[in-house]
Amino acid sequence: MSKKLPGTGKPTLASVAQYLKSGDVRNVVVMVGAGISTSAGIPDFRSPNTGLYHNLSRLKLPYAEAVFDIAYFRKRPEAFYTLAHELYPGKFRPTLFHSFLKVLDDQGVLRRVYTQNIDTLERIAGVPSEKIVEAHGSFAENHCIDCGKAMSTEDLEKFMAKDKIPHCKKCGGLVKPDIVFFGENLPARFFKLMTGDLASADLVIVAGTSLQVHPFASLPSQTSCPRVLFNLESVGDIGRRKSDVVCLGPCDDGVRDLAFECGWLPDLEALWAKTTKDGVTPEKEDVLHAIDKAAAEEVAKEEAEGANSATEIAPEISRKDVEDVVAAIEELEISKSESMSSKGEKDTMTVQDEKAKV
Ligand code: OAD
Ligand code: ZN
């Protein structure tokens, strides 16, 4: 198929909607940052006055980004841990934008969401974990920065609850969540999926990011398909190509308009109304649904065969057992996908304006 928006004039959200509804679009790749979570109550980093970096003066940092700098963390881990209390996941409800990602998936057009966010709201909104690349890591796992020994989230939370800095039980080194710091590699999953996703993308949606942090910032320019930006300000090179659609304003409003154009607004609003800070992942729902369906089929089969001919007794598996197994599988998937890359310098996270080393 030709990866082109319909129409000859300047493309609009209506053309994007027509393209999405054409039946040819299967691979929407979404690239997001902190701006998609500000309406949930989580500040972004770089917005003047409201951004986290503006409000870090109490931490007395040599420069704002030092709070996520691995060299600085070695010297003064308290700065990161002070901020970690505020950012720790589990307190926030997904935004309308997050639910829009789930609608894209429900419509069968979502290929991947690349997120720089560590708030896990994409998962909480129900986007399946295999569709998400947490490019800057997450709080899901924690490791010693010296010997690599893992520390359970439970243990880390105990340290944090007492305002103590977690240290490794094996070597005494500092422990930190697997959030990617400046100077660290991005997760292997990012590099594994990136090339294929960018080559296959039919549509790229960029939202809520200043595109200041590399290598993430270069993703939108590596695609040749139509791109849509939902952001408060213009970023990167989006808007320079004729096929780009730029929607400046709150991204929740932007996707509400797009959903309306697609005829998906009732689905979007109904879905968002159901989200909570503890939203259930659809994989679990899907598995439970499949189990219920299989059980119903089994009963129907037994009934058809006649109750007397049933010689085998089906093992008693409760929904609770199934839920436990699903939870264990999900944990495993998280730990697989979060393992850090051991590649070279080019994979490390850097910010656009080089800061003086601490
Ligand atoms: P930034 O704070 O740099 O950029 C947020 C962008 O979202 C800005 O362009 C805002 O104008 C825009 N924005 C804010 N609220 C919005 C809204 N409601 N609707 C639309 N746009 C909105 O955040 P990121 O680009 O995500 O690293 O920052 C990238 C990385 O820098 C982060 O992942 C973080 C940080 O250092 C780590 O956490 C490791
Ligand atoms: Zn250690």
Side-chain angles (χ1 to χ4, degrees):
M1 64 166 282
S2 77
K3 295 181 180 182
K4 281 206 172 110
L5 296 178
T8 47
K10 195 172 154 38
T12 60
L13 275 189
S15 2
V16 176
Q18 212 183 321
Y19 182 59
L20 273 171
K21 300 273 288 180
S22 67
D24 290 335
V25 175
R26 287 268 160 272
N27 293 307
V28 179
V29 176
V30 188
M31 302 163 184
V32 298
I36 69 160
S37 297
T38 50
S39 66
I42 308 171
D44 67 7
F45 295 91
R46 297 179 180 80
S47 280
N49 304 318
T50 56
L52 269 176
Y53 290 151
H54 179 86
N55 292 306
L56 290 181
S57 53
R58 68 205 146 91
L59 297 183
K60 305 224 176 334
L61 299 163
Y63 60 91
E65 273 122 355
V67 71
F68 288 119
D69 187 300
I70 193 67
Y72 189 73
F73 179 76
R74 283 184 181 280
K75 290 186 196 168
R76 249 197 93 206
E78 315 75 66
F80 165 73
Y81 275 108
T82 306
L83 197 61
H85 280 284
E86 284 171 45
L87 296 179
Y88 211 74
K91 296 186 271 189
F92 306 99
R93 181 187 165 206
T95 65
L96 192 80
F97 190 95
H98 291 102
S99 290
F100 181 73
L101 300 174
K102 173 73 168 90
V103 169
L104 287 177
D105 190 47
D106 291 346
Q107 294 293 332
V109 297
L110 182 68
R111 181 173 174 112
R112 209 83 63 192
V113 180
Y114 284 79
T115 181
Q116 297 167 93
N117 300 343
I118 52 179
D119 54 33
T120 65
L121 289 182
E122 296 85 3
R123 289 165 189 249
I124 297 171
V127 180
S129 52
E130 72 270 14
K131 296 280 177 87
I132 305 172
V133 175
E134 284 166 338
H136 293 173
S138 80
F139 282 96
E141 287 195 354
N142 320 285
H143 288 91
C144 167
I145 62 170
D146 290 328
C147 76
K149 187 177 164 54
M151 175 181 279
S152 72
T153 299
E154 208 185 6
D155 283 352
L156 183 105
E157 285 174 1
K158 279 186 200 152
F159 278 101
M160 284 180 63
K162 289 186 213 148
D163 272 333
K164 292 226 160 86
I165 305 298
H167 281 91
C168 175
K169 282 185 192 143
K170 193 170 151 201
C171 76
L174 288 163
V175 174
K176 80 163 185 57
D178 290 355
I179 294 166
V180 182
F181 276 29
F182 293 107
E184 287 192 310
N185 293 329
L186 270 63
R189 182 173 159 79
F190 175 88
F191 298 100
K192 191 173 145 218
L193 296 175
M194 184 185 78
T195 312
D197 284 349
L198 295 183
S200 315
D202 302 316
L203 177 72
V204 160
I205 297 178
V206 179
T209 173
S210 61
L211 293 181
Q212 291 287 308
V213 174
H214 289 275
F216 194 100
S218 67
L219 294 181
S221 54
Q222 292 181 52
T223 56
S224 52
C225 64
R227 306 180 297 180
V228 185
L229 174 72
F230 295 111
N231 212 57
L232 290 182
E233 55 179 353
S234 241
V235 292
D237 69 348
I238 307 170
R240 291 207 202 128
R241 297 182 194 162
K242 276 191 188 144
S243 55
D244 289 341
V245 177
V246 176
C247 300
L248 297 185
C251 56
D252 290 341
D253 295 355
V255 291
R256 188 179 273 112
D257 292 348
L258 180 55
F260 174 78
E261 294 287 347
C262 291
W264 301 339
L265 190 54
D267 291 353
L268 173 62
E269 286 184 335
L271 189 64
W272 187 51
K274 279 192 262 170
T275 59
T276 67
K277 67 181 179 52
D278 308 310
V280 181
T281 70
E283 287 146 316
K284 190 165 162 181
E285 279 179 344
D286 287 349
V287 174
L288 291 174
H289 180 71
I291 299 275
D292 285 347
K293 203 168 150 229
E297 279 168 9
E298 187 66 23
V299 169
K301 203 171 129 207
E302 273 177 18
E303 278 174 6
E305 283 171 357
N308 293 337
S309 66
T311 48
E312 278 182 41
I313 299 168
E316 290 287 313
I317 303 172
S318 71
R319 259 180 103 85
K320 171 80 177 60
D321 292 336
V322 174
E323 281 181 354
D324 288 347
V325 172
V326 171
I329 293 170
E330 281 173 358
E331 288 249 312
L332 266 179
E333 280 181 352
I334 291 171
S335 66
K336 256 192 324 192
S337 71
E338 299 301 328
S339 61
M340 305 292 271
S341 154
S342 56
K343 289 190 181 180
E345 275 281 290
K346 72 179 170 57
D347 299 342
T348 62
M349 190 170 86
T350 52
V351 72
Q352 193 98 327
D353 306 315
E354 276 292 315
K355 307 286 176 195
K357 290 262 180 263
V358 273

